[in-house]
Amino acid sequence: MSKELRPETRLVEAGRRKEWTGLGEGKGGIVNPAVWRASTMLFDDVVAMEAANPPRDGTLHYGRNGAPTQWALAEALTEMEPGAAITKLYSSGAAACAAAILTVVGAGDEILVVDSVYGTTRAFCETTLKRFGVTTRFYDPMIGAGIAGLIGEKTCAILLESPGSNTFEVQDVPAICAVARERGIATLIDNTWATPLFFQAIAAGCDLSIVACTKYIGGHADVMLGSVTATEAWAERLDRTTRMLGHACSPDDAWLTLRGLRTLDVRLRRHEENGLKVARWLKERPQIARVLHPALPDCPGHEYWARDFTGATGLFSIVFDGGEPAAGDRFVERLELFGLGYSWGGFESLALPHVPKRTASPNAWEEPIVRLHIGLEHPDDLIEDLAASLSRYG
Ligand SMILES: Cc1ncc(COP(=O)(O)O)c(C=O)c1O
């Protein structure tokens, strides 16, 4: 498929190879690949069996190496990242983060990790990586090209997440990647918030782009799946590491995720519109000190969002103007249309109180912070719900 197509068209066309959706030469085909459930795959003879080695996407080999359902999703995700060569799939976003990191580090190395990184990734670095002799240094999300000053002899990789989890600092990704390329250091980014539709991470200079497809790409709060998309230079190592870790992705989950991908554009545009309406309303409320939404000027790094992204999604945080942490908890519990849950990216609105744990960046607020995911409900209903709870804040 031509890479010249616009991203919205690619969402519709990508990964739809005839051999994965067709019934055979001249017999037409179906729109979506079927769910190919398989562990054992049979060969006609030993020559064919040997020809399937080493395992590769597009050739039936063994269940762990996937079948057309998984290959179609992986190819579609690769096509959404111009400049990418490969995508590997995982049973969750957290598994994708861990596999991407293990692709680039070795014993004795140091990895620089953004301080606003997703909590489970942070814990993976501080516990598992540490056990294997890899050190982690956390850096301020706003460091930009200043990252050069942190790179030492043992630094092998830089992990970015933009915007950051819960506090939404937008990073100067091209500046950090340019420094890393010059010094021969790998860059990985958690691109879950924007998805490749709103931020093309590989084109911006990243070597590996991680997405928790559990969120917006699945989009319906009913599937767990992660992906890592990589450049040609990292393709073989990512592929090998993934196989050696024994990852397998369920065909049912790949099918659901591919189905979600096809409607990503319309859903994200509505999340963006609803999210901005609610965020702008919240910004004017006397109980709210700051709205941390990448598309609003209050957000650290807003200028990088305006320069590099083609849209905003529905996830942002509000910082209250004073109050105990328990006041944020009660605010969330009083909401009726917002669910209380850890995830985001589905069609439904969610609210989550949180206290950021940071070591390297100055953005640690004493006041309660609440993360909101704005779903596909009518924004005025959400505003009325928020207004009723805010009126009792304190
Ligand atoms: C930014 C980010 N990355 C990765 C993950 C992990 O994804 P999963 O829940 O599919 O393991 C999450 C989950 O909340 C997330 O918010």
Side-chain angles (χ1 to χ4, degrees), residues 89-141:
L89 304 176
Y90 306 85
S91 57
S92 71
C97 293
I101 293 170
L102 290 175
T103 297
V104 299
V105 299
D109 286 342
E110 175 192 67
I111 180 167
L112 301 176
V113 174
V114 65
D115 210 10
S116 49
V117 72
Y118 173 59
T120 302
T121 308
R122 182 182 200 100
F124 174 77
C125 294
E126 286 178 324
T127 57
T128 310
L129 277 193
K130 189 173 170 197
R131 202 151 55 76
F132 288 96
V134 179
T135 33
T136 302
R137 198 145 42 122
F138 293 99
Y139 66 87
D140 186 332

Side-chain angles (χ1 to χ4, degrees), residues 50-75:
E50 281 172 359
N53 279 314
R56 55 198 175 273
D57 287 3
T59 303
L60 290 174
H61 178 273
Y62 172 60
R64 205 169 51 226
N65 301 308
T69 329
Q70 293 96 331
W71 303 335
L73 172 63
E75 184 167 284

